[in-house]
Amino acid sequence: MDRIGQMERTVERLTSPGRGILAADESYPTITKRLSDHGIESTEENRRFYRSLLATTPGIGEYVGGIIFFEETLGQKTDDGELIPAACEKQDIVPGIKVDKGLTELPGSGGEKVTQGLDNLGDRLDGYLEQGALFTKWRNVYEISANTPGRQAIEANAEVLARYAAIAQSRGMVPIVEPEVLMDGDHDIERCAEVTEAAQTAVFAALRRHNVILECIILKPNMVLPGKSQKPRPAPEVCAEATLRVLRRTVPAAVPTINFLSGGQTAEEATAHLNAMNQSDKANPWVLSFSYSRALQNPVQEAWKGESGNKEAAQKAFLKRARLNSLARDGRYDPSMENDPA
Ligand code: 5MM
């Protein structure tokens, strides 16, 4: 299969009915924080056990079409001695890989950040492909304050994101393009909309500049929400309409799918917001699905607690959360379903 055919096939698998993406690609500092929130130590064995538990959850392939991993996981094995990417394929789940190297200061910006990781990226991708990864992820971060993000940070981040996407596509790997406007702060929903629109506009201009094939990307944006400390929270329909308004203004119809990040929302909020978007009466040209990390994994870590005896309970919690988000992907979720047994 040629490069474009390979990417089309991957997009088809990732967008197949009822499915979304699990982000299990936390770098060492992030996974350490996530696990320690549940009293679990981040040892290599705990990370292997945990990510293998996710990938081998019986039946999870019905709701999850792809899992984004951190590079350590691609070489780790399940309890049955099978490489984790191979175990994913058995459930028809496409293995993916986070390829950015985190944030660094953007000189001249007064302290804003830009994502790094372009050096030797092509060579790294060749290795990940050999290990079974068929898609990639790169995340940009935009922090809202009275005067950030500035134009320099918006443009510099868009440029690296587009260069990454072009390199991934040169290897036949589908790039997840993730510009994340953070939820931290006390800004209102309109300010989030304004910044998200500016970031997306710059990203799509840069993708065009670098001849990225829009039909073979996955967009992973934030939802448009008020800052975390704003209370009370607006109704799901308000967030859904604000998010869709920005996306309709900025995202070409050629993009096949938009898989949202959860960004610190509770598991229930992230599901309700996705559901409200899929219930909107205006037609959208893209699939609207999920690529959550915390909103899928928090209940799993809560059930697991780092104890191997809790594996089955943890897998049940994962299956339940993934099923509810699968329903939300089709606008068929109702909060009363939260009380259904796992
Ligand atoms: C925003 O983070 C991404 C989505 O996760 P949430 O749904 O929890 O917002 C996530 O894929 C993130 O990129 C990974 O957890 C990796 O983070 P680090 O900071 O380790 O690169």
Side-chain angles (χ1 to χ4, degrees):
M1 211 188 298
D2 69 0
R3 179 177 69 91
I4 294 180
Q6 184 176 311
M7 290 192 288
E8 286 170 345
R9 174 75 191 116
T10 301
V11 167
E12 201 178 290
R13 293 177 69 195
L14 291 171
T15 56
S16 57
R19 306 209 294 174
I21 295 172
L22 164 69
D25 61 324
E26 299 85 356
S27 57
Y28 295 119
T30 308
I31 192 69
T32 301
K33 179 167 185 329
R34 299 276 183 269
L35 294 181
S36 74
D37 286 348
H38 299 276
I40 307 164
E41 200 187 342
S42 177
T43 60
E44 184 178 346
E45 171 53 18
N46 274 346
R47 294 190 297 272
R48 181 207 67 76
F49 181 90
Y50 173 64
R51 284 161 169 162
S52 143
L53 167 166
L54 294 170
T56 60
T57 295
I60 198 67
E62 195 178 335
Y63 312 122
V64 171
I67 304 182
I68 318 167
F69 290 114
F70 181 61
E71 56 188 358
E72 175 189 54
T73 316
L74 293 184
Q76 288 178 324
K77 293 184 175 167
T78 65
D79 295 344
D80 295 336
E82 187 171 33
L83 282 162
I84 291 179
C88 287
E89 287 289 358
K90 264 197 181 157
Q91 304 218 65
D92 191 25
I93 295 170
V94 188
I97 176 78
K98 183 254 288 300
V99 304
D100 67 70
K101 293 279 182 185
L103 308 181
T104 188
E105 191 163 324
L106 179 65
S109 69
E112 289 196 77
K113 302 277 185 349
V114 65
T115 304
Q116 58 190 340
L118 289 178
D119 290 352
N120 304 321
L121 180 57
D123 293 342
R124 284 201 284 132
L125 294 185
D126 292 339
Y128 299 143
L129 255 178
E130 271 175 31
Q131 290 182 288
L134 293 174
F135 71 103
T136 61
K137 193 204 89 173
W138 176 293
R139 169 175 172 249
N140 283 355
V141 175
Y142 308 85
E143 211 176 310
I144 298 187
S145 73
N147 47 11
T148 64
R151 179 53 47 196
Q152 182 199 358
I154 286 178
E155 294 298 342
N157 273 293
E159 183 70 13
V160 291
L161 191 54
R163 287 189 59 200
Y164 138 77
I167 295 168
Q169 289 193 340
S170 77
R171 265 51 183 188
M173 297 173 94
V174 171
I176 293 190
V177 167
E178 181 180 356
E180 178 181 13
V181 176
L182 295 178
M183 230 172 113
D184 302 331
D186 63 358
H187 51 270
D188 61 19
I189 193 167
E190 284 313 319
R191 175 81 175 126
C192 178
E194 176 184 62
V195 171
T196 304
E197 188 169 332
Q200 297 279 16
T201 301
V203 165
F204 280 96
L207 291 172
R208 183 167 292 270
R209 219 161 41 239
H210 287 276
N211 302 313
V212 171
I213 305 163
L214 295 182
E215 289 80 356
C216 298
I217 71 164
I218 292 169
L219 180 68
K220 175 168 172 169
N222 54 285
M223 296 180 193
V224 173
L225 305 169
K228 232 184 211 162
S229 53
Q230 283 258 342
K231 301 275 179 325
R233 307 300 292 170
E237 295 69 31
V238 173
C239 301
E241 273 320 302
T243 305
L244 290 173
R245 192 171 60 236
V246 169
L247 295 174
R248 288 188 195 113
R249 287 178 180 178
T250 53
V251 184
V255 172
T257 182
I258 298 178
N259 291 61
F260 293 95
L261 59 90
S262 58
Q265 301 174 63
T266 64
E268 293 80 6
E269 276 169 349
T271 308
H273 288 150
L274 179 63
N275 189 60
M277 279 187 253
N278 281 305
Q279 284 185 340
S280 161
D281 43 16
K282 283 191 201 135
N284 296 302
W286 336 271
V287 169
L288 295 171
S289 187
F290 57 90
S291 175
Y292 300 154
S293 166
R294 283 163 287 181
L296 279 170
Q297 294 188 64
N298 266 339
V300 188
Q301 291 163 3
E302 188 66 44
W304 175 42
K305 299 185 179 73
E307 303 286 339
S308 55
N310 292 335
K311 178 173 169 179
E312 206 179 309
Q315 289 183 326
K316 269 191 180 164
F318 181 33
L319 203 62
K320 173 176 176 178
R321 209 65 246 155
R323 187 175 66 81
L324 294 178
N325 281 302
S326 166
L327 290 167
R329 176 209 191 281
D330 294 331
R332 293 190 295 126
Y333 162 82
D334 186 276
S336 64
M337 295 170 177
E338 295 290 345
N339 305 321
D340 293 352

